Amino acid sequence: MGNIIVIGSASIDLVVETDILPNTGETVMGKSFFTTPGGKGANQAVAAARLSNNVYMIGAVGDDDNGTQILSNLEKNNVNIDYMDKIESEASGTAHITLFDDDNRIIVVPAANDYVTPEKVIPKLKYFEAGDIILMQHEIPKETINEVVDFAVNHDMRVMLNPAPYRRLDQEVIEKVNWLTPNESESELLFKNEVDRALMAYPRKLIVTKGATGAVFYSDSQQLVKGYKKEVIDTTGAGDTFNGALAVALIENKPLEEAVNFANLAAAFSVTGLGAQSAMPYRKELD
Ligand code: RIB
């Protein structure tokens, strides 16, 4: 079986739970605070590695305590960290998350994640093979995404791009990736509210996630693969779990509908605990 190579951000999440959202210039009292490993790249790597034994991460941390925690958490979760960089005199990335009314608001400070550059990443890809799946998101520099996609096309590797958070995406990249997995709001921004048309234009490539409703893609007609409902404690990381699990199902050559169903199920488990990674499921739970 091939490898899954996650190229992306690794951060520490600083999470505040509150019943009141402050207005500009206002101070309110929160309910709780905790820190926990996050970053969309690391979350997707952990989600995949809890389900499969062939997951590598390419990314960067700072030379601080957060960096040490991020790396040991990845290792503990079965992610190979041989290709992670530690950037001297730089801080690790952080995400500042407010949990309010069953949803989250997130501000990301990339720091070391900005050093996940083409110069650092491309040489590491020579250790991987045709057929491997590269999984990326939008918390690392855009040039890296573009160059990795070109490298993958030239070396018969497959690319899944989760375009989160939203930023403008070159048409060329959309054409070259094998799978594109925005959520509803990202898909509307990417395709200027013509999502149904885009689904048809990119059959079996564009997969739009719709939270607990499930995910849609086009194959002869529009297919909705229904989601699973579980008690929601925290939705942070549900999209990342979907992507990590989808990569696992695809490297195992599951047909797309079955792969999306597997990813929906994993994502449903992930919302049942506080923090992005705490409730990501292990293989035996899904089986
Ligand atoms: O997708 C959730 C993640 O987004 C959080 O863990 C946070 O790190 C932000 O990057």
Side-chain angles (χ1 to χ4, degrees):
M1 191 175 34
N3 297 304
I4 295 171
I5 309 134
V6 180
I7 304 176
S9 60
S11 301
I12 290 290
D13 291 351
L14 298 103
V15 189
V16 171
E17 279 188 285
T18 181
D19 286 333
I20 315 162
L21 211 55
N23 290 315
T24 311
E26 190 186 9
T27 301
V28 299
M29 306 303 270
K31 265 192 350 190
S32 75
F33 171 75
F34 61 94
T35 65
T36 188
K40 292 186 195 299
N43 290 346
Q44 295 183 13
V46 168
R50 286 189 184 179
L51 301 170
S52 189
N53 278 326
N54 46 355
V55 180
Y56 293 76
M57 175 149 189
I58 301 178
V61 296
D63 62 350
D64 53 7
D65 290 348
N66 282 349
T68 309
Q69 193 191 337
I70 290 166
L71 293 179
S72 77
N73 177 66
L74 286 169
E75 250 190 325
K76 196 179 82 194
N77 279 288
N78 194 30
V79 177
N80 183 306
I81 57 166
D82 289 353
Y83 306 110
M84 288 293 291
D85 285 319
K86 190 172 253 194
I87 311 297
E88 261 180 50
S89 308
E90 182 55 83
S92 296
T94 47
H96 304 257
I97 303 181
T98 304
L99 296 182
F100 170 75
D101 198 17
D102 280 344
D103 222 325
N104 57 50
R105 291 166 166 77
I106 306 180
I107 300 175
V108 172
V109 179
N113 294 309
D114 274 343
Y115 291 77
V116 186
T117 55
E119 297 69 40
K120 287 206 153 34
V121 172
I122 300 289
K124 292 169 180 144
L125 290 177
K126 69 168 183 272
Y127 298 107
F128 298 97
E129 285 172 11
D132 286 352
I133 293 181
I134 296 173
L135 175 55
M136 295 188 286
Q137 324 71 31
H138 275 177
E139 289 182 340
I140 55 169
K142 183 178 176 176
E143 311 79 68
T144 308
I145 309 280
N146 293 3
E147 291 199 27
V148 168
V149 167
D150 283 339
F151 182 96
V153 168
N154 291 332
H155 293 81
D156 291 327
M157 297 167 103
R158 296 175 289 170
V159 177
M160 183 185 302
L161 178 60
N162 173 225
Y166 170 77
R167 73 181 169 210
R168 234 188 60 77
L169 195 53
D170 296 339
Q171 185 63 31
E172 241 181 274
V173 171
I174 300 180
E175 302 298 335
K176 287 178 185 166
V177 298
N178 299 76
W179 304 280
L180 186 69
T181 59
N183 66 17
E184 274 179 300
S185 63
E186 289 149 4
S187 66
E188 273 157 26
L189 292 164
L190 281 170
F191 299 107
K192 311 210 168 29
N193 302 322
E194 303 250 16
V195 179
D196 284 340
R197 197 191 289 233
L199 282 162
M200 258 174 140
Y202 299 111
R204 310 179 72 78
K205 170 192 288 212
L206 178 60
I207 301 157
V208 178
T209 58
K210 293 172 171 273
T213 307
V216 289
F217 65 91
Y218 192 90
S219 175
D220 298 326
S221 61
Q222 204 176 108
Q223 317 280 326
L224 166 68
V225 184
K226 283 196 183 145
Y228 295 84
K229 295 217 175 0
K230 288 237 178 209
E231 194 203 349
V232 177
I233 303 290
D234 181 3
T235 58
T236 312
D240 297 330
T241 309
F242 178 93
N243 280 278
L246 185 63
V248 169
L250 291 168
I251 204 91
E252 291 175 1
N253 294 321
K254 289 194 187 347
L256 188 58
E257 186 170 351
E258 202 183 308
V260 172
N261 180 51
F262 182 79
N264 279 342
L265 186 60
F269 272 81
S270 76
V271 303
T272 60
L274 258 190
Q277 297 175 12
S278 67
M280 284 175 176
Y282 292 87
R283 190 72 192 222
K284 58 179 182 307
E285 293 174 84
L286 289 199
D287 288 343

